[in-house]
Amino acid sequence: MELRQLEYFVTVAELASFTKAADALHVSQPGVSAQVRKLERELGEDLLDRSTRTVQLTSVGVTVLPYAQAALRAVASIHATIAELNGLVRGRVTMGTVTAMGRTIDLPALLASFHEAYPGVEIGLTEDGSEHLVEALRSGRIDLAVIGRTGPRPPGIALYDIVNEPLVAAVGRKDPLFGRKRIGIDELSDRALICLPPGTGLRSTVEAACAAAGFRPHIALEAADPHVLAQLAGRGLGVAIIPTSPARALGMEVHLIDIRQRPCGRLALAWRTDGPTSPAAAALIAHARALLPEAL
């Protein structure tokens, strides 16, 4: 069994495609297929079901995948540890972020300053929903993430709160609620709401607040950027539920109304506590915590 075979198998499994895996690995598709077949012959079991349009794991493949991922992480950690002992921090670190973070955090500045401090580390960045980012942390596909925080801390994940901002209702000048200073969340039970997509922390917070008030929100429009939500509300298309700062950035285009129950939009740095952490990942986690003050 070779590490290359494990790498090819893991990449195909994660991307559900031999073609995409070959592109990611910068090798030919027949080469990827041949190495995975060689691994399956050695194990005496099929790991991948090739009979469907997208490649799927067999029951044996599902069992083997976490061990293959762990083996690759262990080898990467060995190389990184040796580099650290030699006084170098090298390798690759991947950070994830919620798609709807907007301008709350200056992520480009954070990554640029990290690159300046650790030029030998290759940096990767990916966007996704909070739930998918947590799963990517657990599997080791990413090392650090900015996620929307709702509910209890996910098992095996450390959290460092960096944003804790009250949500407000944003409406246009012609909206019936224009001029109000405060409303109860129940007053929005029959209104068309504008909110972030499912899977984001803010969307979960809004749904939980509405459920506590005894109704299911009618989400009429969705957008990934809080600034766009506020702009839609300003055009009279509904009531946007968003953090205060992006709404204030629009000035007089929208009217902001406090919500009596004070639901909050929360963002946190997240990283896994189970399994090894590479020196590069540890450096990025420490760098991010030093640059971003902890939210109260």
Side-chain angles (χ1 to χ4, degrees):
M1 185 181 302
E2 300 177 5
L3 287 174
R4 178 177 56 174
Q5 296 166 358
L6 294 179
E7 180 185 13
Y8 288 8
F9 161 62
V10 167
T11 305
V12 172
E14 291 178 346
L15 297 179
S17 167
F18 280 95
T19 301
K20 292 179 180 178
D23 290 340
L25 294 165
H26 304 293
V27 296
S28 67
Q29 181 175 332
V32 173
S33 181
Q35 290 300 323
V36 174
R37 281 294 191 192
K38 187 175 180 181
L39 176 63
E40 290 174 322
R41 286 197 297 270
E42 184 171 344
L43 295 176
E45 296 283 354
D46 287 338
L47 302 177
L48 299 170
D49 180 359
R50 301 162 173 83
S51 62
T52 57
R53 179 173 296 179
T54 58
V55 180
Q56 297 180 353
L57 289 166
T58 64
S59 58
V60 176
V62 170
T63 303
V64 169
L65 180 60
Y67 292 100
Q69 291 170 326
L72 294 175
R73 289 198 300 268
V75 171
S77 295
I78 291 172
H79 287 297
T81 300
I82 296 300
E84 186 179 34
L85 291 173
N86 290 330
L88 303 172
V89 177
R90 297 189 179 278
R92 177 178 173 83
V93 63
T94 301
M95 185 170 186
T97 178
V98 286
T99 306
M101 188 178 67
R103 302 170 181 83
T104 307
I105 299 170
D106 192 349
L107 192 58
L110 187 154
L111 295 178
S113 59
F114 178 78
H115 176 67
E116 184 177 354
Y118 301 97
V121 177
E122 181 183 354
I123 302 172
L125 180 65
T126 184
E127 287 187 336
D128 211 329
S130 296
E131 296 176 1
H132 291 158
L133 291 174
V134 169
E135 290 305 314
L137 286 170
R138 287 200 180 106
S139 68
R141 298 196 304 275
I142 62 176
D143 303 288
L144 175 67
V146 176
I147 66 170
R149 181 173 182 182
T150 56
R153 179 177 62 84
I157 300 295
L159 295 176
Y160 175 83
D161 291 325
I162 51 178
V163 172
N164 188 9
E165 187 173 26
L167 302 181
V168 295
V171 299
R173 290 181 173 275
K174 296 182 180 180
D175 192 275
L177 295 174
F178 184 84
R180 294 279 299 274
K181 292 184 177 180
R182 178 175 294 184
I183 59 172
I185 193 75
D186 57 298
E187 295 182 62
L188 301 176
S189 61
D190 60 349
R191 295 298 308 274
L193 301 185
I194 306 170
C195 197
L196 297 180
T200 58
L202 192 150
R203 175 66 170 266
S204 298
T205 298
V206 171
E207 291 176 342
C210 294
F215 71 96
R216 184 175 181 179
H218 169 48
I219 308 296
L221 296 171
E222 298 174 349
D225 187 339
H227 292 76
V228 174
L229 299 180
Q231 290 171 334
L232 292 170
R235 295 288 185 176
L237 296 173
V239 181
I241 308 297
I242 52 176
T244 307
S245 56
R248 285 178 176 166
L250 292 172
M252 299 301 292
E253 293 184 35
V254 292
H255 173 64
L256 306 184
I257 309 171
D258 291 335
I259 299 174
R260 190 172 294 114
Q261 290 79 2
R262 290 186 66 80
C264 290
R266 303 169 68 189
L267 293 176
L269 289 176
W271 61 94
R272 66 180 177 274
T273 56
D274 297 337
T277 301
S278 71
L284 179 57
I285 293 168
H287 183 81
R289 293 184 64 178
L291 238 62
L292 300 174
E294 186 171 13
L296 299 178

